[in-house]
Amino acid sequence: MKTMPDTLLIFGGVAGGASAAARARRHSETARIIVLERGPDVSFANCGLPYHIGGEIADRADLALQTPDSLRALLNLDVRTLTEAVAIDRAEKAVRVRSLTDGSESVISYDKLILAPGASPLRPPLPGIDSPLVHTLRNLQDMDRIKAAAADADSVAIIGAGFIGLEMAEQLHHIGKQVSVIELQPQVLPQLDAEMARPLENVLRDKGIELILGDGIDGFETTPDGISARLKSGRSLATGLVILSIGVRPESGLARDAGLELGPRGHIVVNQHQLTSDPDIYAVGDVCETEEPILGKRAAIPLGGPANRQGRTAADHIFLGDKALPYPGSIGTAIVRVFDHAAGIAGYSETRLKMEGVPYQTVTVNGASHASYFPGAETITLKLLWSPADGRVLGAQAGGKDGVDKRLDVIATALRGRLTIDDLAHLELAYAPPFGNAKDVINIAGFAAGNIRDGLLVPVPDLKSAGPRIVDVRPAAAAAKRPVPGAKNIPLAELRGRLGELDRSQPVFTVCQMGKTSYFAARILANHGFDARSILGGAHHQL
Ligand SMILES: Cc1cc2nc3c(=O)[nH]c(=O)nc-3n(C[C@H](O)[C@H](O)[C@H](O)COP(=O)(O)OP(=O)(O)OC[C@H]3O[C@@H](n4cnc5c(N)ncnc54)[C@H](O)[C@@H]3O)c2cc1C
């Protein structure tokens, strides 16, 4: 029988901490639940912050989901804002806290403690980094400062082209700023494979946003008109305002000082119930690392969904003990909107699988977001990665103007369910012309993956990897409009009658617009004895 804690102390009162507190109250009406929050707000919508800066969320109050008073009224929580935990005494089971209003200190005893302090934005020790014009974005106060500073600036430099950096680029462009984005990697959204991020780069450039890729920041200098960012390449960029979005660091200092086990990058190590190396202390959210369920590796994934669900998991274990369901691990499902485009990932990218030395196979397919004959259909590009040993899905990335979120969610579900490429081929997804396709792009990815496994499709990743005998099977007009260099155009409908024009003794590489017709052509050729290979994903994004 589990003993109910008298006092549950939580520090960090936003995503993970507030979720844990709410769930805890649903288990017990009698437990004393104290939530300490360093900032002035609890349970606010950090994911919405960029959208108030850009005016899309017009009312600031919409981001403040709860207040200490509403949490007391609804959940009988003792919420203390502007109160910071400053030390954990594990032997005494007590936390020393400091009031940020008057500096006074006191000690609060706990039966169970949940650490939910999150992660803070990185601010590397560069010259000039402490300038008031260099901002990071984590909470409502940061948002207010950026919004006020942006009102006085014509231009903004965003350092880091990850999810938050791109959201900020979009939103600051909305309010008329000249935006430059600087990214150390040679691509935006380095969480994605380069070719899947490229369409976003085109969208950003088309909007007049300057992309400085493959270059880092060396320091900042204040100028009479604003600030100048010095880049590693030697270039200087004069701007009115800088936003740093180069990643986060777990706020695990108190846990480290208390002797809790930390992982290699400073995250608190927890088990499946979010329990740390101390049997009375849990950790949830951005501060901790858990096991991911795809390859079973340790992973720290700083996202809102995992933080909320981990908070719930910790509370369940405190009140239900062994009857509580474990946290099944985070797979890393993330998406960003950049103007009328969206792109995202679930699970592993090809780059990360290579880094991990994990064998994989991949295919990229294109499909329509809904029936192509129904108005408004848009192309979705889906890159799928799976294990050649058993066909299990390892990850996917998707991009396009419509329906990207739905496909990523299907893949996330497939990853959670440990589904295979054959399962994807036969997923029965919602279909009527305004919504989907009789063969959804998810099914098509499953078909193509199965074809590769069964030898029906010999894939070539891109035009660069093709040999000299490329046959462009698009209609003549399309091939003439955007020709593939060095390719011979034989439209699919003419192929059977023109086989004599091709050399059977050499590999033939077929290409089309979106990757499907070239597969059909390669099958015709293979069935006539050719060594035919199909260029994946089509020429549309490669020309
Ligand atoms: C601008 C922005 C946009 C984002 N967009 C998305 C998105 O679209 N999708 C997504 O999945 N994720 C997004 N995230 C990430 C998501 O918000 C985080 O993963 C999530 O909030 C982490 O929850 P957490 O509880 O671990 O930490 P937080 O929500 O950061 O909460 C931790 C709190 O603990 C407090 N604290 C720290 N130390 C102490 C202490 N010693 N004593 C008292 N209090 C303390 C901090 O002040 C902080 O308020 C975004 C984050 C930001 C900043």
Side-chain angles (χ1 to χ4, degrees):
M1 181 65 193
K2 187 88 186 159
T3 332
M4 292 284 179
D6 287 335
T7 301
L8 167 59
L9 180 61
I10 300 172
F11 68 76
V14 189
S19 271
R23 181 69 172 174
R25 178 56 75 221
R26 294 193 178 103
H27 282 297
S28 165
E29 272 296 306
T30 55
R32 185 174 172 228
I33 303 173
I34 305 172
V35 180
L36 310 176
E37 170 53 53
R38 187 172 58 194
D41 308 289
V42 279
S43 198
F44 60 89
N46 22 21
C47 306
L49 302 175
Y51 299 99
H52 181 59
I53 293 171
E56 208 171 327
I57 298 175
D59 189 353
R60 184 187 188 279
D62 289 343
L63 297 172
L65 303 176
Q66 298 290 344
T67 63
D69 285 345
S70 72
L71 289 175
R72 182 181 298 280
L74 290 170
L75 292 163
N76 190 22
L77 301 181
D78 177 355
V79 178
R80 305 181 192 176
T81 51
L82 295 171
T83 305
E84 184 174 24
V86 290
I88 304 166
D89 183 340
R90 288 168 57 196
E92 291 296 320
K93 295 182 69 173
V95 171
R96 188 148 51 84
V97 306
R98 182 181 300 143
S99 159
L100 298 180
T101 10
D102 60 14
S104 62
E105 291 201 354
S106 55
V107 169
I108 304 175
S109 299
Y110 62 80
D111 295 299
K112 298 287 176 188
L113 175 63
I114 299 180
L115 312 180
S120 52
L122 287 172
R123 277 185 90 96
L126 295 170
I129 191 102
D130 293 329
S131 158
L133 293 177
V134 178
H135 293 259
T136 54
L137 178 60
R138 181 181 185 187
N139 54 36
L140 289 163
Q141 290 66 49
D142 298 333
M143 176 190 78
D144 293 338
R145 278 189 288 269
I146 293 175
K147 204 167 159 63
D152 297 331
D154 296 330
S155 57
V156 183
I158 295 168
I159 321 289
F163 289 93
I164 296 175
L166 294 189
E167 286 178 353
M168 288 303 294
E170 183 208 60
Q171 291 299 308
L172 289 162
H173 180 275
H174 273 168
I175 54 169
K177 306 298 158 192
Q178 175 57 50
V179 179
S180 304
V181 178
I182 298 146
E183 166 60 53
L184 195 56
Q185 300 297 320
Q187 64 172 91
V188 302
L189 219 55
Q191 293 85 347
L192 266 58
D193 295 323
E195 80 281 8
M196 293 301 290
R198 202 141 302 129
L200 292 182
E201 291 167 10
N202 296 336
V203 172
L204 289 160
R205 288 198 178 103
D206 286 351
K207 291 285 180 184
I209 291 176
E210 182 188 21
L211 296 184
I212 303 172
L213 304 178
D215 205 349
I217 204 87
D218 242 1
F220 304 95
E221 269 145 37
T222 308
T223 64
D225 306 325
I227 187 163
S228 171
R230 216 174 40 251
L231 307 187
K232 290 196 187 306
S233 59
R235 181 176 165 186
S236 282
L237 185 79
T239 184
L241 175 67
V242 171
I243 295 173
L244 274 182
S245 53
I246 55 173
V248 293
R249 174 183 293 130
E251 290 214 41
S252 55
L254 299 190
R256 187 192 53 234
D257 295 346
L260 296 179
E261 187 188 347
L262 301 188
R265 292 192 297 130
H267 298 88
I268 303 174
V269 173
V270 294
N271 73 5
Q272 287 182 311
H273 294 291
Q274 303 299 133
L275 199 52
T276 67
S277 50
D278 181 310
D280 293 312
I281 305 181
Y282 294 74
V284 303
D286 290 1
V287 79
C288 71
E289 61 162 61
T290 58
E291 195 166 277
E292 56 76 11
I294 304 168
L295 300 174
K297 297 189 182 286
R298 300 297 298 175
I301 296 178
L303 288 171
N308 275 278
R309 290 180 291 104
Q310 288 171 358
R312 195 173 197 271
T313 303
D316 282 354
H317 193 247
I318 289 170
F319 288 93
L320 301 176
D322 292 342
K323 277 193 276 168
L325 289 179
Y327 182 70
S330 306
I331 57 177
T333 309
I335 186 167
V336 65
R337 184 195 71 188
V338 178
F339 301 102
D340 60 352
H341 267 67
I345 182 165
Y348 278 83
S349 66
E350 184 170 5
T351 311
R352 281 188 57 219
L353 288 172
K354 270 192 190 139
M355 274 165 45
E356 298 284 353
V358 173
Y360 65 89
Q361 181 59 270
T362 179
V363 71
T364 301
V365 297
N366 294 294
S369 56
H370 58 247
S372 48
Y373 56 81
F374 191 88
E378 298 285 354
T379 299
I380 294 176
T381 302
L382 184 79
K383 175 172 182 174
L384 178 69
L385 296 133
W386 70 95
S387 161
D390 55 8
R392 202 157 56 79
V393 177
L394 300 175
Q397 293 151 72
K401 287 187 175 175
D402 182 37
V404 170
D405 54 342
K406 164 169 155 174
R407 274 60 183 202
L408 287 173
D409 286 346
V410 172
I411 294 291
T413 310
L415 287 165
R416 171 65 64 232
R418 301 177 77 78
L419 300 191
T420 67
I421 50 174
D422 297 320
D423 294 319
L424 294 191
H426 286 289
L427 282 183
E428 197 168 314
L429 302 172
Y431 165 56
F435 300 107
N437 286 287
K439 284 184 281 189
D440 191 85
V441 66
I442 295 273
N443 302 133
I444 294 170
F447 297 153
N451 285 340
I452 290 174
R453 184 214 30 224
D454 300 339
L456 289 171
L457 167 59
V458 183
V460 179
D462 49 34
L463 275 172
K464 284 198 305 281
S465 318
R469 279 157 297 278
I470 300 177
V471 179
D472 180 348
V473 295
R474 291 177 294 173
K481 195 168 166 206
R482 295 187 74 194
V484 174
K488 180 184 184 74
N489 178 225
I490 306 181
L492 181 74
E494 299 172 20
L495 186 59
R496 288 187 183 85
R498 294 175 60 184
L499 294 175
E501 296 175 32
L502 300 171
D503 179 356
R504 260 172 224 275
S505 68
Q506 302 290 335
V508 176
F509 299 87
T510 57
V511 68
C512 65
Q513 189 69 9
M514 307 296 264
K516 191 160 86 177
T517 314
S518 68
Y519 160 64
F520 298 158
R523 289 308 308 148
I524 293 174
L525 291 170
N527 284 330
H528 283 88
F530 286 85
D531 172 359
R533 306 172 193 189
S534 176
I535 295 166
L536 291 178
H540 79 289
H541 63 286
Q542 302 185 51
L543 290 176

Short mmCIF file of all heavy atoms in Angstrom, two decimals, residues 149-171:
data_model
loop_
_atom_site.label_atom_id
_atom_site.label_comp_id
_atom_site.label_asym_id
_atom_site.label_seq_id
_atom_site.Cartn_x
_atom_site.Cartn_y
_atom_site.Cartn_z
N ALA A 149 11.23 46.48 -27.50
CA ALA A 149 12.46 46.80 -28.24
C ALA A 149 12.20 46.76 -29.74
O ALA A 149 12.73 47.58 -30.50
CB ALA A 149 13.57 45.82 -27.85
N ALA A 150 11.36 45.82 -30.18
CA ALA A 150 11.08 45.70 -31.61
C ALA A 150 10.36 46.93 -32.13
O ALA A 150 10.52 47.32 -33.30
CB ALA A 150 10.27 44.44 -31.89
N ALA A 151 9.57 47.56 -31.25
CA ALA A 151 8.84 48.76 -31.68
C ALA A 151 9.80 49.87 -32.08
O ALA A 151 9.47 50.70 -32.94
CB ALA A 151 7.93 49.22 -30.54
N ASP A 152 11.00 49.87 -31.49
CA ASP A 152 11.98 50.92 -31.79
C ASP A 152 13.02 50.50 -32.83
O ASP A 152 13.95 51.24 -33.10
CB ASP A 152 12.76 51.29 -30.50
CG ASP A 152 11.84 51.87 -29.46
OD1 ASP A 152 10.83 52.48 -29.85
OD2 ASP A 152 12.13 51.69 -28.26
N ALA A 153 12.92 49.29 -33.34
CA ALA A 153 13.97 48.79 -34.25
C ALA A 153 13.39 48.56 -35.64
O ALA A 153 12.27 48.08 -35.78
CB ALA A 153 14.54 47.49 -33.70
N ASP A 154 14.17 48.91 -36.66
CA ASP A 154 13.74 48.59 -38.03
C ASP A 154 14.14 47.19 -38.42
O ASP A 154 13.52 46.54 -39.25
CB ASP A 154 14.38 49.56 -39.03
CG ASP A 154 13.91 50.98 -38.79
OD1 ASP A 154 12.77 51.13 -38.32
OD2 ASP A 154 14.69 51.92 -39.04
N SER A 155 15.25 46.73 -37.84
CA SER A 155 15.79 45.43 -38.26
C SER A 155 16.08 44.58 -37.03
O SER A 155 16.33 45.09 -35.94
CB SER A 155 17.07 45.64 -39.06
OG SER A 155 18.00 46.36 -38.29
N VAL A 156 16.04 43.26 -37.25
CA VAL A 156 16.29 42.31 -36.17
C VAL A 156 17.19 41.20 -36.71
O VAL A 156 16.97 40.71 -37.83
CB VAL A 156 14.97 41.66 -35.67
CG1 VAL A 156 15.25 40.72 -34.49
CG2 VAL A 156 13.96 42.71 -35.26
N ALA A 157 18.19 40.82 -35.92
CA ALA A 157 19.01 39.64 -36.27
C ALA A 157 18.64 38.52 -35.33
O ALA A 157 18.65 38.70 -34.11
CB ALA A 157 20.49 39.98 -36.15
N ILE A 158 18.29 37.40 -35.91
CA ILE A 158 17.94 36.23 -35.09
C ILE A 158 19.10 35.25 -35.21
O ILE A 158 19.48 34.85 -36.32
CB ILE A 158 16.63 35.60 -35.59
CG1 ILE A 158 15.50 36.59 -35.36
CG2 ILE A 158 16.36 34.28 -34.89
CD1 ILE A 158 14.22 36.24 -36.03
N ILE A 159 19.67 34.90 -34.07
CA ILE A 159 20.80 33.97 -34.08
C ILE A 159 20.25 32.59 -33.75
O ILE A 159 19.75 32.36 -32.64
CB ILE A 159 21.88 34.35 -33.02
CG1 ILE A 159 22.08 35.86 -32.93
CG2 ILE A 159 23.17 33.60 -33.29
CD1 ILE A 159 22.76 36.52 -34.06
N GLY A 160 20.35 31.68 -34.70
CA GLY A 160 19.83 30.33 -34.49
C GLY A 160 18.55 30.13 -35.27
O GLY A 160 17.56 30.83 -35.05
N ALA A 161 18.58 29.17 -36.21
CA ALA A 161 17.42 28.94 -37.09
C ALA A 161 16.70 27.65 -36.74
O ALA A 161 16.27 26.90 -37.60
CB ALA A 161 17.87 28.93 -38.55
N GLY A 162 16.58 27.39 -35.43
CA GLY A 162 15.77 26.25 -35.00
C GLY A 162 14.30 26.63 -35.01
O GLY A 162 13.90 27.63 -35.63
N PHE A 163 13.48 25.85 -34.31
CA PHE A 163 12.03 26.06 -34.34
C PHE A 163 11.67 27.47 -33.84
O PHE A 163 10.92 28.19 -34.49
CB PHE A 163 11.32 24.98 -33.51
CG PHE A 163 11.37 23.63 -34.17
CD1 PHE A 163 12.36 22.73 -33.87
CD2 PHE A 163 10.42 23.29 -35.12
CE1 PHE A 163 12.41 21.49 -34.50
CE2 PHE A 163 10.46 22.05 -35.76
CZ PHE A 163 11.46 21.15 -35.44
N ILE A 164 12.22 27.85 -32.66
CA ILE A 164 11.84 29.15 -32.10
C ILE A 164 12.39 30.29 -32.96
O ILE A 164 11.71 31.28 -33.21
CB ILE A 164 12.31 29.27 -30.63
CG1 ILE A 164 11.58 28.22 -29.78
CG2 ILE A 164 12.07 30.67 -30.07
CD1 ILE A 164 12.04 28.14 -28.34
N GLY A 165 13.62 30.14 -33.46
CA GLY A 165 14.22 31.17 -34.32
C GLY A 165 13.36 31.42 -35.55
O GLY A 165 13.13 32.58 -35.95
N LEU A 166 12.88 30.35 -36.16
CA LEU A 166 12.06 30.53 -37.37
C LEU A 166 10.69 31.13 -37.04
O LEU A 166 10.16 31.96 -37.80
CB LEU A 166 11.91 29.21 -38.12
CG LEU A 166 13.20 28.64 -38.71
CD1 LEU A 166 12.91 27.43 -39.61
CD2 LEU A 166 14.00 29.68 -39.49
N GLU A 167 10.12 30.72 -35.91
CA GLU A 167 8.84 31.35 -35.52
C GLU A 167 9.03 32.85 -35.31
O GLU A 167 8.19 33.65 -35.72
CB GLU A 167 8.33 30.71 -34.21
CG GLU A 167 7.77 29.31 -34.39
CD GLU A 167 7.32 28.66 -33.10
OE1 GLU A 167 7.54 29.23 -32.01
OE2 GLU A 167 6.74 27.57 -33.17
N MET A 168 10.14 33.20 -34.68
CA MET A 168 10.40 34.63 -34.44
C MET A 168 10.63 35.36 -35.76
O MET A 168 10.20 36.50 -35.94
CB MET A 168 11.62 34.80 -33.53
CG MET A 168 11.37 34.41 -32.09
SD MET A 168 10.01 35.35 -31.37
CE MET A 168 10.71 36.97 -31.38
N ALA A 169 11.34 34.72 -36.69
CA ALA A 169 11.59 35.36 -37.99
C ALA A 169 10.26 35.67 -38.68
O ALA A 169 10.03 36.78 -39.19
CB ALA A 169 12.44 34.45 -38.87
N GLU A 170 9.37 34.69 -38.67
CA GLU A 170 8.06 34.89 -39.30
C GLU A 170 7.29 36.02 -38.63
O GLU A 170 6.73 36.91 -39.30
CB GLU A 170 7.26 33.58 -39.21
CG GLU A 170 5.91 33.65 -39.89
CD GLU A 170 4.89 32.72 -39.28
OE1 GLU A 170 4.58 32.86 -38.07
OE2 GLU A 170 4.38 31.86 -40.00
N GLN A 171 7.25 36.00 -37.30
CA GLN A 171 6.44 36.97 -36.57
C GLN A 171 7.01 38.39 -36.68
O GLN A 171 6.27 39.36 -36.78
CB GLN A 171 6.31 36.55 -35.10
CG GLN A 171 5.46 35.30 -34.93
CD GLN A 171 4.02 35.49 -35.42
OE1 GLN A 171 3.34 36.44 -35.04
NE2 GLN A 171 3.56 34.61 -36.30
#
